[in-house]
Amino acid sequence: MTHGYSHQVTTPPPAEPRFTLDRTSPVPLYYQLAQQLEAAIEHGVLSPGSLLGNEIDLAGRLGLSRPTVRQAIQSLVDKGLLVRRRGVGTQVVHSQVRRPLELSSLYDDLEASGQNPATRVLHNRVRPATPEVAAALRMPEGSEVVVLERLRLTHGEPVAFLCNFLPAGLLDLDSAKLEETGLYRMLRAAGITLHSARQSIGARSATAEEAERLGEAEGAALLTMERTAYDNTGRPVEFGAHVYRASRYAFEFQLLVRS
Amino acid sequence: MTHGYSHQVTTPPPAEPRFTLDRTSPVPLYYQLAQQLEAAIEHGVLSPGSLLGNEIDLAGRLGLSRPTVRQAIQSLVDKGLLVRRRGVGTQVVHSQVRRPLELSSLYDDLEASGQNPATRVLHNRVRPATPEVAAALRMPEGSEVVVLERLRLTHGEPVAFLCNFLPAGLLDLDSAKLEETGLYRMLRAAGITLHSARQSIGARSATAEEAERLGEAEGAALLTMERTAYDNTGRPVEFGAHVYRASRYAFEFQLLVRS
DNA sequence: AAGTGGTCTAGACCACGGT
DNA sequence: CCGTGGTCTAGACCACTTG
């Protein structure tokens, strides 16, 4: 092979997308940059495997300081979109799938995948907490809790039976609203910001009653989830025991490795 | 109420734990601080809900700059141990449970919970990839892959049947080693650093063969997981289809809400 | 040896929450 | 109003990777 001029052995020069920063905006500069980087990756302007160019130059070109640029890049590294390697540079990750694991709302999941979800509220009353529920919500046994039973359907077919417990008086749980949207959206709307949740996913065979409700045969395999959700202060906000038709639903998500 | 001297209406003064930083250590200062903070929280020296004291003072007392202290605190916020609120301060989260969701190795999970795991390798051969496996590993159909079938037991009882596929030649998969440890540890030991994985968790009824292998009745509910794991560069490294006895295993984990 | 990200400093001003 | 975290700057030196 002859060594001609300007031959490119490795990566083509980074096809620098244009970034526009608005210093008068209340949106932080690092966040503006992160969003535009993410969009460039999403739209393929920055192709998988391509290098980003070093942080110092990038900062200079953008008129930002290096820590600010690093903060933008770091947020995308945390999302799994970029990988940094010392001595090498920052690269766009090759993976094709980019779904994070979230504290998933079944309603939102179904809606996002175009499944046209519907909800039927079967039960919505205040009851004294059973020992199990009281323990999960860290309330005295017998405290008043809202007991909520809902059937979730897509295209008119049952997908899941959802049983939830919330401290009474935490928010107004209007049945009509609940049929229009998801429980988590109502929590957000009520100013309750979720912080974390503890989940357990298992399986079991359908009882006669469950089979009836979900339109499955008795003994069919069902997917189960129990979840306790906590707010900012660590207070339990919601406890739920859900049962899904395994023939129509599975939990899908992407994990990032803690490094 | 009389207003005496030094009465405390709200939070007691932060019981400042002692932090010792070693500037000669190769361990980053922010990381040393983060570890000691985490230990203090873990051991209850910093109790749930207590404030941390403002960042400027903390930096001054420790002889660090504020950004360094912030970096330490941020890492614990990302782990869900601390919460920051503007105008208020940084607090230890109230929650009692502190298990993160990880790209879980079943072997490690079981070992960590004192279950004394064992592995029986049933099959370990190189085969041409089926269309499904080839697609998952993004290899041409018929490429050589290692097909691995293992039975996982605790206390001598079967818990799961694990079927895995890896590109042939990626690493040496010695059956004896596989019975002593987990697949993920072998990948790490071979210098393969996992970056992310795509998982799907579902359920189904046991076939006669599965029931036989796992010691369940035919038709019993089983928990299933399919996973494709990717390395730093986004290349698929492993595809697995696992089946768990629902009567003896469930996936448990904690989620943090993206904020 | 050159280039990269990793860490660290010592300041600054702003936005928000509570008093 | 004051105190808090949130953002940002303009440098510095180090550790690692690659040629």
Side-chain angles (χ1 to χ4, degrees), chain B:
Chain B
M1 179 203 260
T2 60
H3 284 244
Y5 51 94
S6 88
H7 84 180
Q8 294 172 347
V9 194
T10 55
T11 316
E16 275 305 328
R18 298 274 167 263
F19 297 112
T20 62
L21 300 171
D22 176 5
R23 294 192 100 96
T24 72
S25 162
V27 178
L29 293 172
Y30 80 88
Y31 194 78
Q32 293 183 37
L33 176 55
Q35 281 188 317
Q36 292 178 43
L37 275 169
E38 185 166 359
I41 294 169
E42 197 71 27
H43 296 102
V45 180
L46 288 170
S47 49
S50 65
L51 287 166
L52 220 59
N54 81 61
E55 298 172 347
I56 313 267
D57 289 358
L58 192 52
R61 278 200 300 277
L62 295 171
L64 294 174
S65 68
R66 187 184 170 202
T68 302
V69 170
R70 273 184 69 80
Q71 195 175 359
I73 291 176
Q74 188 59 46
S75 70
L76 298 188
V77 171
D78 292 342
K79 280 195 184 180
L81 296 180
L82 296 177
V83 184
R84 290 206 240 234
R85 278 187 286 172
R86 197 145 43 175
V88 178
T90 303
Q91 285 181 302
V92 179
V93 151
H94 247 104
S95 170
Q96 77 288 37
V97 192
R98 311 204 186 280
R99 278 175 267 185
L101 175 57
E102 291 177 6
L103 208 178
S104 51
S105 153
L106 176 58
Y107 187 89
D108 292 348
D109 286 355
L110 294 173
E111 192 173 59
S113 54
Q115 300 274 327
N116 198 353
T119 308
R120 194 177 302 153
V121 175
L122 306 179
H123 186 97
N124 182 358
R125 299 219 191 86
V126 174
R127 287 272 176 279
T130 65
E132 186 198 16
V133 171
L137 295 178
R138 263 181 273 160
M139 301 171 74
E141 202 173 307
S143 308
E144 295 206 319
V145 294
V146 177
V147 178
L148 198 58
E149 291 184 2
R150 294 170 295 164
L151 198 63
R152 186 82 87 211
L153 312 95
T154 63
H155 311 303
E157 278 279 310
V159 177
F161 174 72
L162 317 172
C163 186
N164 291 87
F165 307 87
L166 299 87
L170 188 65
L171 79 167
D172 181 43
L173 284 168
D174 180 55
S175 285
K177 271 279 196 315
L178 276 166
E179 304 216 327
E180 283 167 21
T181 181
L183 176 57
Y184 276 32
R185 284 196 199 168
M186 289 186 68
L187 287 170
R188 262 196 301 277
I192 298 169
T193 56
L194 263 33
H195 173 263
S196 64
R198 183 110 189 71
Q199 288 197 182
S200 177
I201 298 177
R204 69 156 183 268
S205 297
T207 65
E209 192 188 4
E210 286 171 332
E212 161 75 22
R213 264 197 299 247
L214 291 171
E216 288 275 339
E218 186 172 345
L222 298 178
L223 196 54
T224 66
M225 179 191 49
E226 287 197 3
R227 167 163 66 192
T228 311
Y230 304 88
D231 71 3
N232 273 340
T233 72
R235 185 178 48 135
V237 163
E238 177 251 346
F239 172 70
H242 298 185
V243 180
Y244 306 82
R245 293 176 73 176
S247 56
R248 296 176 50 89
Y249 191 76
F251 293 96
E252 305 211 343
F253 47 84
Q254 183 173 15
L255 293 186
L256 300 180
V257 174
R258 322 176 131 287
S259 54

Side-chain angles (χ1 to χ4, degrees), chain A residues 8 10 64 82 96 118-119 122 134 148 150 154 189 204 217-218:
Chain A
Q8 293 173 346
T10 54
L64 295 174
L82 297 176
Q96 77 286 39
T119 307
L122 305 178
L148 197 59
R150 294 171 295 164
T154 63
R204 69 155 184 267
E218 186 173 345

Side-chain angles (χ1 to χ4, degrees), chain A residues 40-257:
Chain A
I41 294 170
E42 198 71 25
H43 296 103
V45 181
L46 288 171
S47 49
S50 65
L51 286 166
L52 220 59
N54 80 61
E55 299 172 348
I56 313 268
D57 289 357
L58 192 52
R61 277 200 301 278
L62 295 170
L64 295 174
S65 68
R66 188 185 171 204
T68 301
V69 170
R70 275 184 67 81
Q71 195 175 359
I73 291 176
Q74 187 58 46
S75 71
L76 298 187
V77 170
D78 291 342
K79 279 196 186 180
L81 296 179
L82 297 176
V83 185
R84 289 208 244 234
R85 276 186 287 172
R86 197 150 33 181
V88 178
T90 303
Q91 285 181 302
V92 179
V93 152
H94 248 103
S95 171
Q96 77 286 39
V97 191
R98 309 204 189 281
R99 277 174 269 185
L101 174 57
E102 292 176 7
L103 206 175
S104 51
S105 153
L106 176 58
Y107 187 90
D108 292 348
D109 286 355
L110 294 173
E111 193 172 58
S113 55
Q115 300 274 326
N116 197 354
T119 307
R120 194 177 302 154
V121 175
L122 305 178
H123 186 96
N124 182 359
R125 299 217 190 90
V126 175
R127 286 274 177 278
T130 65
E132 186 198 16
V133 171
L137 294 179
R138 265 181 272 158
M139 300 172 75
E141 198 173 323
S143 307
E144 295 206 318
V145 295
V146 177
V147 178
L148 197 59
E149 291 184 2
R150 294 171 295 164
L151 198 62
R152 186 81 87 210
L153 312 95
T154 63
H155 309 303
E157 278 280 308
V159 178
F161 174 72
L162 317 172
C163 186
N164 290 87
F165 306 88
L166 298 87
L170 188 66
L171 80 168
D172 181 43
L173 284 169
D174 180 56
S175 285
K177 273 276 198 314
L178 276 166
E179 303 216 329
E180 281 168 23
T181 180
L183 175 58
Y184 277 32
R185 283 195 199 170
M186 289 187 67
L187 286 171
R188 262 196 301 277
I192 298 169
T193 57
L194 263 33
H195 174 264
S196 65
R198 182 111 188 69
Q199 289 198 182
S200 177
I201 297 177
R204 69 155 184 267
S205 297
T207 64
E209 192 188 4
E210 287 171 331
E212 161 75 22
R213 264 197 299 247
L214 291 171
E216 288 275 338
E218 186 173 345
L222 298 178
L223 195 54
T224 66
M225 178 188 53
E226 288 197 0
R227 166 161 69 191
T228 311
Y230 305 88
D231 72 3
N232 272 341
T233 71
R235 185 177 49 136
V237 164
E238 177 251 346
F239 172 69
H242 298 184
V243 180
Y244 305 81
R245 293 175 72 174
S247 57
R248 296 176 51 89
Y249 192 75
F251 292 97
E252 304 210 346
F253 47 85
Q254 182 174 15
L255 292 185
L256 300 179
V257 175

